[in-house]
mmCIF file with all atom_site columns, all heavy atoms in Angstrom:
data_model
loop_
_atom_site.group_PDB
_atom_site.id
_atom_site.type_symbol
_atom_site.label_atom_id
_atom_site.label_alt_id
_atom_site.label_comp_id
_atom_site.label_asym_id
_atom_site.label_entity_id
_atom_site.label_seq_id
_atom_site.pdbx_PDB_ins_code
_atom_site.Cartn_x
_atom_site.Cartn_y
_atom_site.Cartn_z
_atom_site.occupancy
_atom_site.B_iso_or_equiv
_atom_site.pdbx_formal_charge
_atom_site.auth_seq_id
_atom_site.auth_comp_id
_atom_site.auth_asym_id
_atom_site.auth_atom_id
_atom_site.pdbx_PDB_model_num
ATOM 1  N N   . LEU A 1 313 ? -22.967 -0.287 -13.377 1.00 98.00 ? 336 LEU A N   1
ATOM 2  C CA  . LEU A 1 313 ? -22.843 -0.601 -14.858 1.00 98.00 ? 336 LEU A CA  1
ATOM 3  C C   . LEU A 1 313 ? -23.680 0.301  -15.819 1.00 98.00 ? 336 LEU A C   1
ATOM 4  O O   . LEU A 1 313 ? -23.546 0.260  -16.968 1.00 98.00 ? 336 LEU A O   1
ATOM 5  C CB  . LEU A 1 313 ? -23.131 -2.041 -15.133 1.00 98.00 ? 336 LEU A CB  1
ATOM 6  C CG  . LEU A 1 313 ? -22.166 -3.015 -14.403 1.00 98.00 ? 336 LEU A CG  1
ATOM 7  C CD1 . LEU A 1 313 ? -22.730 -4.464 -14.665 1.00 98.00 ? 336 LEU A CD1 1
ATOM 8  C CD2 . LEU A 1 313 ? -20.811 -2.881 -14.900 1.00 98.00 ? 336 LEU A CD2 1
ATOM 9  N N   . GLU A 1 314 ? -24.471 1.210  -15.081 1.00 98.00 ? 337 GLU A N   1
ATOM 10 C CA  . GLU A 1 314 ? -25.429 1.982  -15.886 1.00 98.00 ? 337 GLU A CA  1
ATOM 11 C C   . GLU A 1 314 ? -24.732 3.223  -16.372 1.00 98.00 ? 337 GLU A C   1
ATOM 12 O O   . GLU A 1 314 ? -24.053 3.909  -15.689 1.00 98.00 ? 337 GLU A O   1
ATOM 13 C CB  . GLU A 1 314 ? -26.563 2.434  -14.986 1.00 98.00 ? 337 GLU A CB  1
ATOM 14 C CG  . GLU A 1 314 ? -27.924 2.368  -15.554 1.00 98.00 ? 337 GLU A CG  1
ATOM 15 C CD  . GLU A 1 314 ? -28.969 2.616  -14.457 1.00 98.00 ? 337 GLU A CD  1
ATOM 16 O OE1 . GLU A 1 314 ? -29.320 1.539  -13.834 1.00 98.00 ? 337 GLU A OE1 1
ATOM 17 O OE2 . GLU A 1 314 ? -29.337 3.772  -14.230 1.00 98.00 ? 337 GLU A OE2 1
ATOM 18 N N   . ASP A 1 315 ? -25.079 3.641  -17.605 1.00 97.00 ? 338 ASP A N   1
ATOM 19 C CA  . ASP A 1 315 ? -24.524 4.782  -18.229 1.00 97.00 ? 338 ASP A CA  1
ATOM 20 C C   . ASP A 1 315 ? -24.908 6.015  -17.390 1.00 97.00 ? 338 ASP A C   1
ATOM 21 O O   . ASP A 1 315 ? -26.078 6.214  -16.987 1.00 97.00 ? 338 ASP A O   1
ATOM 22 C CB  . ASP A 1 315 ? -25.223 4.989  -19.602 1.00 97.00 ? 338 ASP A CB  1
ATOM 23 C CG  . ASP A 1 315 ? -24.265 4.809  -20.707 1.00 97.00 ? 338 ASP A CG  1
ATOM 24 O OD1 . ASP A 1 315 ? -23.048 4.380  -20.398 1.00 97.00 ? 338 ASP A OD1 1
ATOM 25 O OD2 . ASP A 1 315 ? -24.523 5.042  -21.889 1.00 97.00 ? 338 ASP A OD2 1
ATOM 26 N N   . GLY A 1 316 ? -23.937 6.932  -17.207 1.00 97.00 ? 339 GLY A N   1
ATOM 27 C CA  . GLY A 1 316 ? -24.241 8.225  -16.570 1.00 97.00 ? 339 GLY A CA  1
ATOM 28 C C   . GLY A 1 316 ? -24.193 8.149  -15.035 1.00 97.00 ? 339 GLY A C   1
ATOM 29 O O   . GLY A 1 316 ? -24.225 9.152  -14.417 1.00 97.00 ? 339 GLY A O   1
ATOM 30 N N   . VAL A 1 317 ? -24.083 6.932  -14.407 1.00 98.00 ? 340 VAL A N   1
ATOM 31 C CA  . VAL A 1 317 ? -24.036 6.871  -13.024 1.00 98.00 ? 340 VAL A CA  1
ATOM 32 C C   . VAL A 1 317 ? -22.578 7.434  -12.562 1.00 98.00 ? 340 VAL A C   1
ATOM 33 O O   . VAL A 1 317 ? -21.600 7.086  -13.166 1.00 98.00 ? 340 VAL A O   1
ATOM 34 C CB  . VAL A 1 317 ? -24.267 5.451  -12.505 1.00 98.00 ? 340 VAL A CB  1
ATOM 35 C CG1 . VAL A 1 317 ? -23.715 5.200  -11.053 1.00 98.00 ? 340 VAL A CG1 1
ATOM 36 C CG2 . VAL A 1 317 ? -25.687 5.049  -12.615 1.00 98.00 ? 340 VAL A CG2 1
ATOM 37 N N   . GLN A 1 318 ? -22.709 8.266  -11.558 1.00 98.00 ? 341 GLN A N   1
ATOM 38 C CA  . GLN A 1 318 ? -21.425 8.973  -10.990 1.00 98.00 ? 341 GLN A CA  1
ATOM 39 C C   . GLN A 1 318 ? -20.963 8.303  -9.764  1.00 98.00 ? 341 GLN A C   1
ATOM 40 O O   . GLN A 1 318 ? -19.729 8.477  -9.384  1.00 98.00 ? 341 GLN A O   1
ATOM 41 C CB  . GLN A 1 318 ? -21.619 10.414 -10.829 1.00 98.00 ? 341 GLN A CB  1
ATOM 42 C CG  . GLN A 1 318 ? -21.885 11.117 -12.124 1.00 98.00 ? 341 GLN A CG  1
ATOM 43 C CD  . GLN A 1 318 ? -22.477 12.502 -11.975 1.00 98.00 ? 341 GLN A CD  1
ATOM 44 O OE1 . GLN A 1 318 ? -23.494 12.677 -11.430 1.00 98.00 ? 341 GLN A OE1 1
ATOM 45 N NE2 . GLN A 1 318 ? -21.644 13.465 -12.348 1.00 98.00 ? 341 GLN A NE2 1
ATOM 46 N N   . MET A 1 319 ? -21.815 7.622  -8.964  1.00 98.00 ? 342 MET A N   1
ATOM 47 C CA  . MET A 1 319 ? -21.394 6.966  -7.776  1.00 98.00 ? 342 MET A CA  1
ATOM 48 C C   . MET A 1 319 ? -22.142 5.606  -7.665  1.00 98.00 ? 342 MET A C   1
ATOM 49 O O   . MET A 1 319 ? -23.373 5.534  -7.676  1.00 98.00 ? 342 MET A O   1
ATOM 50 C CB  . MET A 1 319 ? -21.706 7.839  -6.652  1.00 98.00 ? 342 MET A CB  1
ATOM 51 C CG  . MET A 1 319 ? -20.883 7.462  -5.353  1.00 98.00 ? 342 MET A CG  1
ATOM 52 S SD  . MET A 1 319 ? -21.291 8.474  -3.931  1.00 98.00 ? 342 MET A SD  1
ATOM 53 C CE  . MET A 1 319 ? -22.417 7.382  -3.057  1.00 98.00 ? 342 MET A CE  1
#
Side-chain angles (χ1 to χ4, degrees):
L336 298 175
E337 220 172 273
D338 248 7
V340 162
Q341 292 164 296
M342 199 182 100

